[in-house]
């Protein structure tokens, strides 16, 4: 196995040799990792880490001082959790002197989404933060070489990347248990659009642990108006006394629908949401919810990314920040929509 | 007066001579226009336009293909109008192949804000879009040289720049007139935080035209919770029967406060907002408001900016897109918070 001389930067040939792949394969990987097999991808990532290899584009960009920008990849930036996370990223990045660049991931996926990813990587950012509240990770992460500093917020766990999760499963479990304890036979769930909804999983597990049968979860879009129709339907079903919505905006739409069906909140039906949207506390009645610390997650992601960038800039071996995994817990916030009155 | 040869690019000396200023003054202007006197600033801007001058940094960036990014300057990106405008910008910029970079203007102003502006200009973006819903224009525009493609959205009119306004004065006038016509003695106004609030001006003029005395406008912050206290106070005043809020989130807070004071909307008090926030239609009762086409303004700004960038890229004289002024009208949307029932 060839070794590089102590102190000299490893070349693409060195990495290819250690990974036991050809140089053209290495080139393909650096352009788009998804173009090589899963097995080779893993071998190359390991070799990159072992040799502390960084390819020319980043070195050039650093030399030109043109890459001092943190790239944020996110789907629809209008959604509440994203604007809050992005705010935390901006604030922290500004504090440490990095401007932020947003690349909007096209939710149509496929080539549309890859276009945004390529456009981002072509400009050699100092690092990438992926906001993964839409579970787009699997299709995006595989296109980002292991040489690029990166932090993922949300999404399923990627062991070989730095990541921050928001404990949605635990929070949903806690909320469901709390609603059951308010003496309800079961809790109906209106889900956020997501292929793998950790909130739904937490709700289901809490019901299962309490030996309560789970009613079929009701799917809806991000559009709160659609939730109005769902709320009206639930309001016409006398067996429905407790509703847990996948986010606050959906909970608000559901409450409007309940009102249209002649039901009072919390007297006839209790409702809880998720996120602690700015407007949740002024809703009529104010909404019980899970406070998610989106801005804190954003700030923390920048700190983790900064450590990775520093490793690159100072030509140090990759530290623990490259695969760090942190969780930021949510908090149950009780308000009048679940009948609790506070002094 | 010196003239440049036909076809050769004008130099900084040529511009200085036409503007009748020294070359060091020109250098200062290009670094930060606010560092030269108002009189010289106007003369230099005119000379730049006359000679179609562009300084080296942009030319170099274009040659290196490093400036293909549209920089968006905005204060607090979490606020509704901004996320919507930014969404329109992103969508259109993506369509024409430009990534967008956001530079958050620090609302503490002064050196903090100038830091963001400099950080942006140092990276030679292809063009700048300034979202000016906070009336920060006056302090920002003077720091951006006339050589930089730029579009301002909102804010007071700058004759020498491209700008899009949202007709807030007209919309507020229309709304106030509409509320008076619903047989109310007067309309109380709860204002958005702004030094020069066109919405407040429109409200005041409508009352004046109807020979109705204007009650003192009530100031509040962007925090909807503060509006709850205001709503409660207004609810305890029997003379208050119609309230117009500077934006929808404030209107929602006011409605919650009215409920706490035992007042029903629309039976006892009617309430209208401004912006058509996504949640306005699912509020209980749904909120009468002015629909603002933020996303359309964002898209249109990118189109105007693209024309300016094309002038630079193709070394053409500056076309009309550099000083174009467009207005995008709002629409009154009637919902149940003002007592109107629709089929």
């Amino acid at each position: 196995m060839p070794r590089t001389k102590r102190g000299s930067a490893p070349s693409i040939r060195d990495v290819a040799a250690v990974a036991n792949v050809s140089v053209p394969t290495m080139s393909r990987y650096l352009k788009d990792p998804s173009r090589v097999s899963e097995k080779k991808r893993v071998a190359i990532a390991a070799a990159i880490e072992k040799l502390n290899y960084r390819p020319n584009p980043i070195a050039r960009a650093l030399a030109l001082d043109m890459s001092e920008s943190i790239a944020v990849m996110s789907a629809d930036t209008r959604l509440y959790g994203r604007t809050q996370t992005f705010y935390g990223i901006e604030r922290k990045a500004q504090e440490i002197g990095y401007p932020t660049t947003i690349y909007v991931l096209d939710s149509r996926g496929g080539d549309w989404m890859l276009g945004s990813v390529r456009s981002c990587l072509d400009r050699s950012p100092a690092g990438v933060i992926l906001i993964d509240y839409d579970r787009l990770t699997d299709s995006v992460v595989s296109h980002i070489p292991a040489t690029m500093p990166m932090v993922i917020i949300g999404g399923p766990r990627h062991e070989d990347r730095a990541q921050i999760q928001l404990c949605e499963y635990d929070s949903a479990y806690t909320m469901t248990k709390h609603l059951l304890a308010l003496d309800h036979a079961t809790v109906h769930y209106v889900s956020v659009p997501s292929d793998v909804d950790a909130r739904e999983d937490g709700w289901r597990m809490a019901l299962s642990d309490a030996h309560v049968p789970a009613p079929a979860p009701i799917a809806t879009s991000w559009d709160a108006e659609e939730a109005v129709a769902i709320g009206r339907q639930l309001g016409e079903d006398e067996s429905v006394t407790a509703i847990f919505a996948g986010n606050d905006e959906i909970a608000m739409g559901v409450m409007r629908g309940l009102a249209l069906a002649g039901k009072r909140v919390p007297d006839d039906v209790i409702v809880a949401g998720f996120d602690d949207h700015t407007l949740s506390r002024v809703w009529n009645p104010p909404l019980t919810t899970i406070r998610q610390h989106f801005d804190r997650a954003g700030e923390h992601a920048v700190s983790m990314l900064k450590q990775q960038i520093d490793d690159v800039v100072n030509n140090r071996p990759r530290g623990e920040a490259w695969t760090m995994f942190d969780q930021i817990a949510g908090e149950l916030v009780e308000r009048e929509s679940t009948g609790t009155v506070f002094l």
Side-chain angles (χ1 to χ4, degrees), chain A residues 34-52:
Chain A
S34 73
R35 289 169 61 193
V36 309
S37 73
E38 170 69 20
K39 200 182 138 200
K40 287 181 182 167
R41 211 148 64 213
V42 171
I44 292 170
I48 283 171
E49 183 160 0
K50 184 169 184 180
L51 299 182
N52 191 33

Side-chain angles (χ1 to χ4, degrees), chain A residues 204-243:
Chain A
R204 198 184 295 279
M205 185 53 73
L207 291 185
S208 164
D209 282 356
H211 308 292
V212 167
I218 301 145
T220 184
S221 71
W222 292 120
D223 181 1
E225 218 171 357
E226 213 176 284
V228 174
I230 292 170
R232 194 197 276 255
Q233 267 191 310
L234 289 171
E236 282 158 4
D237 180 344
E238 291 305 321
S239 74
V240 175
T241 62
I243 301 171

Side-chain angles (χ1 to χ4, degrees), chain A residues 101-114:
Chain A
T101 317
I102 306 188
Y103 294 83
V104 183
L105 298 174
D106 198 306
S107 51
R108 284 171 292 182
D111 286 347
W112 294 100
M113 204 173 57
L114 276 194

